[in-house]
Amino acid sequence: MSRPMDFRATTDHPVDAVYAAMSDRAILADRLERMGGPGAGILEYASDEQGCRYRIRHGIDEKDLPGVVKTFVGGGGITVERDETWRKAGDGYDGTVRVALPGMPAGADGTMRLEPAGAGTSFHVHCDITVRVPLIGGKIEETVAEQIKRLLAMETDYTLTRL
């Protein structure tokens, strides 16, 4: 079973400016350096006039993990790899996201949308989070969903400050 997670944010900045900031390699690299954790970085990056695709790595130190996740991973932190793809779609941008935790029976798949909202932009992410662990998988999915929302809020705030 999986757990759905939705994140929404709005800004007064126009949709093309938000997309440009979100897909800018230098901003992405700086964001990962500041908040990506141990071993964070850009693993792959490609961009053209049609859109962009990148794969990034986050590291989360054991001390920063919620209690229920610590019991699941044992000693040490975790590595999170995230693939994102963005494409122009009408007056906005559509994206996909895939999250993997190498060596762990957990991950997430989802969609993203940047679209005009008045003179500004609405950003929406929908993910289905799956943790394949008997008995406690649902609790871990719930905790991971909250952590993803927190991370998305921090990343969005950081990116918007760069505009």
Side-chain angles (χ1 to χ4, degrees):
M1 184 100 181
S2 64
R3 179 173 305 269
M5 186 278 319
D6 285 283
F7 173 81
R8 292 183 188 275
T10 58
T11 179
D12 294 334
H13 299 287
V15 70
D16 289 330
V18 174
Y19 169 76
M22 288 180 67
S23 62
D24 183 272
R25 184 183 180 115
I27 293 174
L28 182 60
D30 190 50
R31 187 184 83 203
L32 286 165
E33 183 179 317
R34 292 175 185 262
M35 63 182 65
I42 298 173
L43 303 175
E44 295 175 29
Y45 182 90
S47 180
D48 60 28
E49 59 279 344
Q50 301 299 314
C52 73
R53 180 190 173 281
Y54 49 85
R55 190 163 67 97
I56 58 176
R57 177 184 298 133
H58 293 268
I60 305 173
D61 193 281
E62 180 183 16
K63 69 178 176 53
D64 297 322
L65 293 171
V68 69
V69 176
K70 283 182 188 179
T71 61
F72 171 63
V73 300
I78 61 174
T79 298
V80 179
E81 292 184 1
R82 194 163 97 196
D83 286 296
E84 293 190 15
T85 302
W86 286 99
R87 294 282 176 242
K88 182 74 173 156
D91 57 357
Y93 297 85
D94 286 336
T96 60
V97 61
R98 171 164 277 170
V99 179
L101 287 78
M104 300 179 66
D109 290 296
T111 59
M112 304 177 291
R113 175 81 180 142
L114 282 171
E115 62 189 352
T121 300
S122 173
F123 174 46
H124 177 231
V125 178
H126 172 82
C127 285
D128 291 309
I129 301 161
T130 305
V131 177
R132 292 170 297 284
V133 175
L135 302 177
I136 63 168
K139 181 63 178 166
I140 294 172
E141 288 170 353
E142 180 181 329
T143 302
V144 169
E146 290 306 313
Q147 295 299 312
I148 290 172
K149 285 181 187 178
R150 255 187 49 216
L151 176 64
L152 287 169
M154 291 179 353
E155 288 179 348
T156 301
D157 288 346
Y158 176 81
T159 302
L160 292 177
T161 64
R162 296 294 298 266
L163 285 171

